[in-house]
Amino acid sequence: MATAPFLFEKLKESYAEQLPFVAYKIANQNTVKAVFQKDAQLHLVKDYTEEGFVFAPFDSEQAPVLFPRHTAMEVPFAMEDLEKVAFEKSKVFPESTSHQEEHLQLVNKTKEFLGNAAVSKVVIARSKTISFPDFNFLKVFQRLLLHYPNATSYVWYHPKVGLWMGASPELLLEVKDANFHTMSLAGTQTFQKAVEVTWGAKELEEQKLVTDYVVANLKKSVTSCSVSETHTVRAGALLHLKTAISGTLDADKGLSEIIATLHPTPAVCGYPREKAKAFILKNEKFDRTYYTGFFGELNVDSQTALYVNLRCLERDNSESLKLYIGGGITAKSKAEHEWEETVSKCRTMEAVL
């Protein structure tokens, strides 16, 4: 088995040679996996019978990118290999006043839409571009591994698409044999030690909307479905409400059908989905591309494990990075609070820079 230093060196070499790769660690596991492509060809998913690592955009009308398992590697996750990239003194990346005003206006516009369109929730997002000419993706990736053990962390690169990395707290879908697992995740607050966690009506309502939608739609593609109690989970410096959903797939349904049922989830899009998605595409002033899409193993060793692409960044060009953040808007949303929530979420990625 390869060692961590060997893996990091291979990632560095592949990036310098402009060859596609992905390296990732599943939440709470002690192994880093990687896939390396031997050429720069762009492979696309056609029907989800393919095998490899998938990287899918938010807009489900666009085809996901696939890294076939040409070269796969696993290395043990050793803390001592990562100590040298512990957090340094945090840099400050100020928010733009004009961007804040734009977001506040969009929140209020979204609330007006909710009142007039029989829509319960819309998830709106924004991007933040920061200057970072000395960006070192290996150092940032290792910080993600070290400091967000409860998230699924990754670094992904294709010369025809770009470099992305992130730490996702949300499972989209896990399938093994005929059994599946998914979750609904909504609500956000900052983790504070020694403070009892309480949730407001807005967050509890948002979580129920997400759960009800996922369960109602899954029943079309499964033979059984069970729902756990809702509980609080921690993802870095943030807390979320989580409900686990599991069951048995209908033998007549394929992966493509259940993925289409789940993606994009109401946690990243809204409810009802088609109306919410149409509003997003029309009113957000940027292209989400792969933010709020999904990534993960597709039919690898007869298993599939896909994660929602949250808490992520894109290397925009050699001098700057683009961070993506969003939040769910309901009738109870307050614009200033929603802005502050995106600022808190943004710090997840800013902290490892």
Side-chain angles (χ1 to χ4, degrees):
M1 181 179 282
T3 63
F6 176 81
L7 171 66
F8 298 140
E9 187 61 30
K10 188 165 179 59
L11 291 171
K12 182 179 178 181
E13 291 174 0
S14 293
Y15 189 61
E17 295 171 5
Q18 297 190 322
L19 291 174
F21 64 81
V22 61
Y24 56 102
K25 186 185 80 69
I26 307 300
N28 301 310
Q29 292 190 7
N30 296 316
T31 300
V32 179
K33 299 181 179 181
V35 178
F36 297 90
Q37 243 184 239
K38 297 177 180 178
D39 55 43
Q41 183 177 346
L42 188 67
H43 300 276
L44 301 177
V45 172
K46 296 179 180 178
D47 57 12
Y48 289 98
T49 62
E50 298 88 353
E51 179 183 349
F53 191 95
V54 62
F55 198 61
F58 164 70
D59 188 350
S60 54
E61 299 299 316
Q62 300 176 23
V65 178
L66 180 79
F67 288 173
R69 299 188 79 197
H70 291 314
T71 308
M73 175 185 298
E74 293 187 18
V75 301
F77 174 65
M79 285 291 189
E80 56 268 22
D81 291 325
L82 306 176
E83 288 178 353
K84 58 183 177 295
V85 292
F87 282 138
E88 298 165 1
K89 185 176 180 180
S90 296
K91 293 186 178 182
V92 176
F93 303 100
E95 298 285 354
S96 160
T97 302
S98 61
H99 287 172
Q100 179 180 1
E101 186 57 37
E102 282 181 6
H103 194 74
L104 295 177
Q105 290 175 4
L106 182 54
V107 172
N108 290 324
K109 184 176 183 178
T110 305
K111 290 182 66 176
E112 290 178 14
F113 171 72
L114 294 175
N116 298 325
V119 175
S120 302
K121 170 186 174 181
V122 174
V123 180
I124 59 169
R126 68 181 178 95
S127 63
K128 177 180 179 179
T129 300
I130 59 176
S131 176
F132 210 95
D134 57 344
F135 177 67
N136 182 326
F137 81 88
L138 278 177
K139 184 175 286 190
V140 173
F141 178 52
Q142 291 181 72
R143 287 197 184 114
L144 289 175
L145 296 176
L146 183 61
H147 294 283
Y148 299 120
N150 299 328
T152 296
S153 300
Y154 77 92
V155 56
W156 183 99
Y157 170 71
H158 196 294
K160 297 177 181 177
V161 178
L163 182 127
W164 285 73
M165 57 198 319
S168 174
E170 184 173 355
L171 174 73
L172 176 71
L173 176 66
E174 186 177 73
V175 176
K176 183 178 181 181
D177 299 323
N179 301 312
F180 78 89
H181 296 275
T182 184
M183 68 170 66
S184 61
L185 193 75
T188 301
Q189 61 175 281
T190 303
F191 170 71
Q192 300 179 60
K193 292 182 179 178
V195 176
E196 185 177 352
V197 180
T198 59
W199 294 95
K202 184 260 182 183
E203 289 78 15
L204 293 170
E205 176 186 312
E206 185 181 353
Q207 174 64 10
K208 187 176 186 304
L209 283 172
V210 173
T211 303
D212 290 350
Y213 172 87
V214 171
V215 171
N217 282 274
L218 272 177
K219 287 181 176 179
K220 304 169 187 175
S221 304
V222 303
T223 57
S224 67
C225 186
S226 61
V227 181
S228 76
E229 295 293 323
T230 298
H231 59 279
T232 301
V233 294
R234 182 181 175 188
L238 301 178
L239 300 175
H240 304 287
L241 286 165
K242 172 186 170 182
T243 306
I245 303 166
S246 60
T248 305
L249 294 175
D250 187 331
D252 295 329
K253 308 292 184 182
L255 262 182
S256 60
E257 186 161 347
I258 192 169
I259 289 172
T261 297
L262 292 171
H263 173 68
T265 73
V268 300
C269 182
Y271 176 77
R273 182 167 69 183
E274 294 310 315
K275 286 186 177 180
K277 183 179 176 182
F279 178 87
I280 289 167
L281 295 176
K282 180 179 179 181
N283 291 280
E284 284 185 350
K285 295 183 178 179
F286 72 103
D287 185 352
R288 291 190 184 187
T289 62
Y290 294 92
Y291 168 63
T292 62
F294 61 87
F295 64 90
E297 297 175 346
L298 181 66
N299 300 314
V300 173
D301 298 327
S302 301
Q303 299 180 47
T304 292
L306 307 175
Y307 300 85
V308 182
N309 195 19
L310 303 172
R311 314 292 186 274
C312 59
L313 64 81
E314 174 188 11
R315 185 166 190 180
D316 204 25
N317 56 49
S318 60
E319 296 293 325
S320 64
L321 304 174
K322 185 176 286 186
L323 282 64
Y324 296 89
I325 47 273
I329 310 302
T330 70
K332 292 184 172 67
S333 294
K334 297 180 181 179
E336 286 290 346
H337 176 78
E338 297 299 334
W339 166 257
E340 290 301 328
E341 182 177 308
T342 67
V343 173
S344 295
K345 288 177 177 177
C346 207
R347 291 185 185 128
T348 299
M349 294 305 295
E350 289 179 336
V352 294
L353 298 179

